[in-house]
Amino acid sequence: MDKNPLLDVVKTYIANEELSIGYALSKSTRNQWIIDSVRDELKAINNDYRIIDNDDLDAKRIFRNKSIDIFETDNFKKYLKNKSDINSLHYNKLLKSCVISADTIEDFFMANRVSNPKTIDFFNAFCRTQEREYGKTLLSSIVRSNKKSTNPSVKPSKLYINGATIINAEFIATVKSGKEFTMSEFYGAKQNNNCQWYGIINDFDVLRSGYDLLKKTVLDSFIEEKDGKVSAIVYGTGGSGKSTILRRLAIDFHAESFVVVWLDKGETDEFAEKGLTIIKNEIERNVDRKFLIIIEDWDGMFNDITGAKLGNKILNQTYSINNTRIIIGDRNNNSSYKKYRNNDFELLVSSKDNQEIIEKIIEKNPNWELDTKKLYGKTKNYQPSLFLLLFIISRFNQEKNNKNIFGTFEAQQVFQNIIESDLKFIYNRYPGLAKALYYWGCLYSNNKVFISYETFLNIADYYNDTGKNEISNWFCRWEAKDDDVLDRLKIYINKTSFNRNKNYLNFIFFNHDILVNSGLGKLDLEEFEKFGDRIKFQLLEIIIDTGDDYSTSQFLSSMLTREKQIFKNQEEELFFIEKLIKNNNKEDYHLYALTQLKLDDETFIKFAKLIWEKKIDCPTFWDSYFNRFKSTKIIYPLVNEILNIDYYHNYDPAFVKLIMTLTRNTKNKKKFISDVISKGNHKIIDSQILVEAFDFAVHQDKLNFIEGVLEDKDWIESCHTFECFNPIESDKVELFFKCVEYFDPIKAKEMRDSYNFLVLLFQSAFD
């Protein structure tokens, strides 16, 4: 059968991705990445179309025809023939209908299979995404049209950082070409569809005192390399305007010589595990590459014990990454990051500037001047948070005739009146939705736990008392238009999609913590049962029964660690944990909570057996188990599969590493280690497993491994693997130096000059 050139191109891009991230992709991760890439290409084509001047109909027609010409099948063509609108039915239908099954993807990789036209179009779209990402064209000989239709003013993004958003010209162009927002929506802290970024880009914000010095301090911090990477602290109470300042800084810096990296909420684990590695690799490839990492909300992202450890982990990792700087936004000037600072700069964002800022905002929006005078003319009280004041002003403009809301001039009371009015408005139509919003707000004010939007709707259905899924059936349509209740709901929450264990979930976030802490959490409504432990336990039961794996695991863990009083006894705690395990929930939050309970050996072993029956390979739990019992007896029957070069990728790498360390099956262990260290595996084996295997490998296998490295001209891209070497004998030291020198003579010279450092760095690699 003839060779499939498209398959070769796809495999090349996959190999490039694995080289870039430093480990091999499992089949499921690879398939999800391919599907996401196709979605990205369709979105990019859509954005390119929308960027074209609305009045230039000829340009739009030419662009559309060329886009259609790329593809063969109706699934893609029909979308491109219809109006390219990111909210259109055609757009949403395409994103669903053009995602093929995992089996079809696997068939494509079988060289002896013939792919149908839709599959060919699918992988052509995948390759075009890689062209956009890396600027490399490999498709010219196998598709009819190789020309990309892109906005010439926007450079293709060459970098993707897990757990973060890169703020560059392409990002700004995407926001500008997307949905438009009003000043009222911006000042009300609406988060959906890049509303806050849209406001900054369109100068809805007001520069405040200290901003210019903040900019200068950050720029100057790149002049000289220092161990500490934190260059500025922006702190102040909730709602004072910290996020607005940091967004303004990110936009103003987007064209600087460094890459601006905005850490995403809910993605801190992903950034710590993968994002920082990508940044480190980029800098190793190009010593002139620089990065500015902005952590918008330290308190919100790293507020508990686990979060604090994660925050310190991120800062610790940056110690060894030159050309990176960090800006932190926080409610308090936290001492936890003090030792990571490279200067003493701090910007306190307080209410002293509120009056001046509001006056400048009114200059931008003169229609608000009279309303603001009516609202604040008597009290002149600008001390509450800036967010609270702007929220009131924007809503006063809409509902100034409602005396029940604005019958007082006390800002905090007006704020609560507005929120109470909104809840009653929702309650009149959907009682369950109002209760879900109120109860979740009360709970979130003390326990910043996150759940999916779908789980939130299930809670609303429960409290609606109709016996039907009326709320979830309608409000799953987040983009629906002209719905007063949905619009009112969006004032308080936003929905953001994140990847959790290879599945995408829509998490809900409150648009601002003040909506909870000074609003929902402070209300006492006659229509609702008072929020307390009974409601917390009720929410637990609802979420356990109807929630997704992430929501149930995290919520149960939060209740076990912060609200233990709601449980009758430990037996009841274990009942809920066991229920999740039997439901095959493979998230690790509840399993971590299990390890924190004071269990006798018999109970611990009982749960270990149950967890392994479900093939749950959570490293957190098993690390605790092995530390306690020093035995792999429970999982012994499957050790041959876990430590097998053909099947190990089905398990978490950290779990495989644990088994490799503890197993007494020496014959199987030696074979697995030998297979891992085989020539050529340095590119495709996960670094955790590779480093552990190298430590246990016999002398000859290590030498064979190095020989394979010496034959690989691309090894410099993953040179970090040599951290496990310890050149004790002079000939082996020379071998390592020559290995590095083959790719980078300058680095080899530096290493020769730092021999003592090398001996320490590459400890105990040679037996």
Side-chain angles (χ1 to χ4, degrees):
M1 182 171 286
D2 293 338
K3 189 177 181 181
N4 183 350
L6 178 59
L7 175 59
D8 291 340
V9 173
V10 171
K11 286 183 175 180
T12 299
Y13 281 129
I14 292 172
N16 288 344
E17 176 71 7
E18 291 179 333
L19 184 62
S20 173
I21 62 180
Y23 58 87
L25 296 169
S26 67
K27 286 185 179 180
S28 58
T29 303
R30 179 201 66 191
N31 293 347
Q32 187 61 55
W33 173 57
I34 291 172
I35 290 172
D36 291 343
S37 296
V38 174
R39 286 177 176 150
D40 289 344
E41 172 60 13
L42 300 176
K43 292 175 182 177
I45 291 175
N46 180 277
N47 288 336
D48 290 341
Y49 174 86
R50 291 159 60 83
I51 288 171
I52 297 174
D53 187 346
N54 289 330
D55 296 329
D56 194 346
L57 298 179
D58 288 337
K60 283 182 175 288
R61 178 180 53 79
I62 293 170
F63 173 82
R64 182 179 290 161
N65 289 340
K66 287 185 177 181
S67 298
I68 292 172
D69 196 45
I70 293 172
F71 301 110
E72 298 286 345
T73 52
D74 287 342
N75 293 81
F76 293 85
K77 283 186 174 183
K78 282 181 180 178
Y79 159 66
L80 295 166
K81 285 179 180 177
N82 288 291
K83 180 181 178 183
S84 289
D85 181 351
I86 201 162
N87 293 318
S88 72
L89 175 64
H90 306 293
Y91 177 85
N92 292 322
K93 183 178 180 182
L94 178 74
L95 292 186
K96 292 180 180 179
S97 65
C98 285
V99 173
I100 56 181
S101 69
D103 290 339
T104 305
I105 295 177
E106 292 304 320
D107 286 346
F108 176 80
F109 286 100
M110 301 291 290
N112 61 337
R113 303 284 181 89
V114 178
S115 298
N116 64 40
K118 180 181 176 181
T119 304
I120 299 299
D121 271 354
F122 183 87
F123 280 98
N124 280 341
F126 163 74
C127 291
R128 291 182 184 283
T129 307
Q130 305 312 305
E131 291 177 17
R132 288 178 181 264
E133 288 288 316
Y134 301 106
K136 296 178 182 178
T137 301
L138 303 177
L139 283 170
S140 56
S141 62
I142 58 173
V143 294
R144 293 191 298 163
S145 172
N146 176 41
K147 187 174 181 180
K148 293 187 290 180
S149 302
T150 57
N151 179 6
S153 66
V154 181
K155 296 179 181 179
S157 173
K158 296 183 180 181
L159 187 63
Y160 171 78
I161 297 176
N162 298 67
T165 299
I166 296 176
I167 310 302
N168 55 15
E170 183 180 17
F171 173 81
I172 292 174
T174 300
V175 174
K176 284 183 176 179
S177 63
K179 183 178 178 180
E180 295 182 356
F181 296 93
T182 64
M183 283 189 174
S184 293
E185 289 173 317
F186 172 72
Y187 297 133
K190 186 173 183 179
Q191 301 293 326
N192 286 91
N193 301 315
N194 290 321
C195 174
Q196 294 304 301
W197 291 109
Y198 179 92
I200 301 296
I201 292 169
N202 287 278
D203 297 324
F204 289 176
D205 61 321
V206 173
L207 296 183
R208 59 198 307 161
S209 58
Y211 178 75
D212 289 337
L213 183 57
L214 170 64
K215 282 182 66 176
K216 183 179 185 304
T217 301
V218 174
L219 289 171
D220 289 348
S221 70
F222 279 99
I223 295 174
E224 181 181 354
E225 192 61 49
K226 296 182 180 180
D227 289 337
K229 300 301 188 289
V230 178
S231 298
I233 306 296
V234 179
Y235 71 102
T237 57
S240 57
K242 301 182 298 295
S243 297
T244 301
I245 290 173
L246 294 174
R247 280 192 172 89
R248 167 53 60 194
L249 198 70
I251 295 300
D252 287 352
F253 279 158
H254 84 273
E256 286 290 341
S257 59
F258 45 79
V259 179
V260 179
V261 179
W262 184 272
L263 193 58
D264 293 333
K265 281 186 177 180
E267 292 279 301
T268 48
D269 285 333
E270 187 81 358
F271 180 75
E273 292 174 10
K274 299 177 183 177
L276 276 174
T277 301
I278 292 172
I279 291 174
K280 181 178 180 180
N281 291 343
E282 282 291 314
I283 293 172
E284 288 178 350
R285 281 194 285 264
N286 181 357
V287 294
D288 295 325
R289 194 84 145 143
K290 299 175 182 178
F291 290 83
L292 176 65
I293 301 168
I294 300 178
I295 302 176
E296 171 203 9
D297 182 12
W298 182 273
D299 179 68
M301 293 177 174
F302 310 113
N303 65 318
D304 55 15
I305 296 175
T306 303
K309 290 180 180 178
L310 181 62
N312 284 327
K313 177 183 177 181
I314 291 173
L315 296 180
N316 271 322
Q317 286 178 297
T318 60
Y319 250 113
S320 61
I321 307 176
N322 290 336
N323 291 350
T324 59
R325 300 294 182 271
I326 300 172
I327 304 174
I328 292 177
D330 198 5
R331 297 191 176 187
N332 304 294
N333 200 342
N334 198 309
S335 60
S336 64
Y337 41 73
K338 185 176 181 179
K339 65 180 180 180
Y340 300 100
R341 297 173 62 172
N342 55 49
N343 60 46
D344 296 326
F345 181 84
E346 300 169 355
L347 177 59
L348 172 61
V349 186
S350 68
S351 60
K352 67 181 179 64
D353 295 330
N354 285 358
Q355 183 172 354
E356 180 183 355
I357 291 172
I358 289 175
E359 288 172 353
K360 288 182 178 179
I361 288 173
I362 291 172
E363 290 177 9
K364 294 174 181 281
N365 194 349
N367 293 333
W368 288 8
E369 182 174 7
L370 184 60
D371 294 336
T372 305
K373 285 182 178 179
K374 289 180 180 178
L375 191 58
Y376 293 110
K378 292 184 179 181
T379 63
K380 295 288 185 182
N381 180 12
Y382 293 94
Q383 291 306 306
S385 74
L386 182 61
F387 164 76
L388 189 147
L389 296 176
L390 291 174
F391 183 89
I392 293 173
I393 292 172
S394 63
R395 291 298 297 274
F396 183 75
N397 182 256
Q398 301 168 16
E399 303 184 47
K400 52 192 169 188
N401 295 322
N402 191 334
K403 294 182 180 180
N404 291 329
I405 295 178
F406 300 103
T408 176
F409 293 103
E410 202 280 308
Q412 176 63 43
Q413 187 59 54
V414 172
F415 184 66
Q416 291 183 6
N417 289 348
I418 294 172
I419 295 175
E420 182 175 343
S421 175
D422 286 341
L423 275 179
K424 289 180 177 179
F425 177 84
I426 297 173
Y427 183 86
N428 288 335
R429 295 276 300 278
Y430 300 98
L433 186 61
K435 289 182 178 181
L437 180 62
Y438 171 61
Y439 289 148
W440 194 255
C442 292
L443 185 134
Y444 184 86
S445 64
N446 293 315
N447 298 281
K448 286 184 170 55
V449 59
F450 301 100
I451 59 171
S452 69
Y453 181 60
E454 290 73 17
T455 299
F456 172 77
L457 294 182
N458 290 336
I459 294 171
D461 279 330
Y462 174 88
Y463 285 116
N464 217 39
D465 294 331
T466 63
K468 301 177 182 178
N469 297 329
E470 179 185 11
I471 293 176
S472 57
N473 285 342
W474 172 246
F475 286 91
C476 63
R477 298 164 174 82
W478 184 258
E479 300 299 334
K481 297 180 180 179
D482 302 323
D483 186 298
D484 292 341
V485 175
L486 180 59
D487 290 341
R488 202 68 63 102
L489 181 67
K490 288 181 179 180
I491 292 173
Y492 296 91
I493 64 172
N494 66 87
K495 178 170 71 77
T496 305
S497 178
F498 290 120
N499 189 345
R500 288 294 309 175
N501 291 336
K502 305 164 190 174
N503 293 314
Y504 279 88
L505 287 177
N506 296 309
F507 292 103
I508 64 164
F509 295 92
F510 284 97
N511 291 336
H512 203 291
D513 282 354
I514 286 182
L515 291 169
V516 173
N517 298 333
S518 300
L520 291 167
K522 298 290 186 181
L523 297 180
D524 187 7
L525 304 175
E526 293 180 1
E527 294 85 350
F528 304 158
E529 179 181 340
K530 185 177 178 62
F531 181 78
D533 286 348
R534 202 184 90 85
I535 296 296
K536 293 173 191 174
F537 190 80
Q538 201 172 61
L539 288 171
L540 175 64
E541 291 183 308
I542 299 168
I543 293 172
I544 291 289
D545 288 340
T546 66
D548 57 272
D549 283 357
Y550 174 85
S551 301
T552 55
S553 179
Q554 203 197 52
F555 189 77
L556 176 57
S557 175
S558 180
M559 294 299 100
L560 287 169
T561 54
R562 300 177 185 176
E563 304 284 354
K564 288 182 72 69
Q565 77 283 354
I566 72 171
F567 297 97
K568 183 169 55 178
N569 48 36
Q570 188 180 82
E571 183 180 350
E572 188 171 59
E573 294 175 333
L574 293 175
F575 167 79
F576 284 109
I577 294 174
E578 184 174 354
K579 190 170 185 178
L580 264 61
I581 296 170
K582 288 183 176 179
N583 288 340
N584 206 30
N585 187 319
K586 295 188 177 182
E587 291 284 351
D588 60 1
Y589 298 99
H590 62 289
L591 296 179
Y592 172 77
L594 176 64
T595 65
Q596 302 306 299
L597 298 177
K598 295 180 180 179
L599 303 179
D600 57 53
D601 287 355
E602 182 180 355
T603 304
F604 206 124
I605 292 172
K606 169 195 166 185
F607 272 89
K609 289 179 178 179
L610 178 61
I611 290 168
W612 188 243
E613 283 177 10
K614 295 295 183 178
K615 300 297 181 292
I616 299 173
D617 59 352
C618 169
T620 303
F621 173 81
W622 288 112
D623 187 41
S624 176
Y625 174 82
F626 293 141
N627 280 331
R628 183 166 175 174
F629 296 104
K630 310 295 182 185
S631 170
T632 60
K633 183 178 179 181
I634 287 178
I635 61 174
Y636 188 82
L638 274 181
V639 167
N640 288 341
E641 177 181 314
I642 299 167
L643 299 185
N644 187 305
I645 199 68
D646 294 323
Y647 302 109
Y648 80 94
H649 57 267
N650 294 324
Y651 299 91
D652 189 292
F655 175 71
V656 176
K657 178 181 174 181
L658 277 173
I659 302 305
M660 198 189 327
T661 304
L662 295 171
T663 182
R664 296 178 182 176
N665 188 337
T666 54
K667 181 180 179 181
N668 190 70
K669 176 179 177 178
K670 287 180 179 179
K671 184 180 186 310
F672 179 65
I673 289 171
S674 180
D675 289 341
V676 168
I677 301 298
S678 294
K679 187 183 290 186
N681 277 355
H682 55 277
K683 278 187 177 180
I684 60 175
I685 300 289
D686 184 276
S687 59
Q688 291 185 67
I689 298 174
L690 184 62
V691 171
E692 190 73 14
F694 197 93
D695 282 341
F696 286 107
V698 297
H699 178 70
Q700 189 58 49
D701 281 346
K702 291 177 181 177
L703 294 182
N704 291 339
F705 176 76
I706 295 174
E707 181 184 348
V709 170
L710 289 170
E711 295 174 355
D712 184 354
K713 294 182 180 180
D714 294 327
W715 177 246
I716 194 63
E717 302 292 342
S718 50
C719 193
H720 63 277
T721 305
F722 283 102
E723 291 175 4
C724 56
F725 293 173
N726 179 22
I728 295 175
E729 298 180 17
S730 59
D731 60 333
K732 296 182 178 106
V733 173
E734 190 62 20
L735 173 63
F736 175 71
F737 284 152
K738 286 184 177 181
C739 179
V740 177
E741 190 173 38
Y742 184 79
F743 309 108
D744 194 336
I746 296 175
K747 179 177 282 190
K749 184 179 184 305
E750 292 173 351
M751 288 181 171
R752 288 178 189 274
D753 294 338
S754 306
Y755 176 73
N756 290 332
F757 170 71
L758 284 176
V759 172
L760 178 64
L761 183 64
F762 308 122
Q763 57 183 338
S764 68
F766 291 88
D767 299 325

